[in-house]
Amino acid sequence: MNRWDVLVEVSPRSEIADPAGTTVERALRALGFSGVSGVRVGKAIRLEVSAADEAEARAVTEHMCERLLANPVIEDARIEVRATVAHESVS
């Protein structure tokens, strides 16, 4: 089994109102960031998945999204899978 670093980005579907995104956009403009538009607020979920290969890690993660991580009626989930890099401890 290999370990895979997975990033799931969940955001409201484009046709769904995003009041948090609207609030952030207005606040940014009030702070002088006039070139900002289309702000969408979502969530990022990082996890490690044990799987034989990248395709299996993606499939498992897609199943997690369907069951818990995202509401497919109102949210989109974007999945990024990378091989886990071994972390060496420094003594």
Side-chain angles (χ1 to χ4, degrees):
M1 262 318 147
N2 297 314
R3 303 287 294 167
W4 302 89
D5 287 323
V6 179
L7 170 63
V8 179
E9 293 181 337
V10 180
S11 60
R13 290 182 173 263
S14 60
E15 63 271 15
I16 300 296
D18 183 2
T22 301
T23 299
V24 169
E25 188 172 319
R26 284 185 193 142
L28 289 170
R29 286 185 183 155
L31 292 170
F33 298 100
S34 60
V36 177
S37 63
V39 176
R40 308 291 285 172
V41 174
K43 57 189 171 191
I45 304 158
R46 296 178 189 279
L47 53 137
E48 285 188 7
V49 174
S50 292
D53 56 30
E54 183 178 344
E56 181 183 346
R58 181 173 298 281
V60 167
T61 305
E62 287 172 356
H63 192 62
M64 289 180 205
C65 289
E66 292 166 2
R67 301 279 317 270
L68 176 69
L69 301 180
N71 179 343
V73 174
I74 62 170
E75 295 176 316
D76 289 322
R78 188 179 73 77
I79 300 168
E80 182 181 310
V81 179
R82 289 184 275 142
T84 299
V85 177
H87 300 285
E88 295 183 17
S89 59
V90 177
S91 345

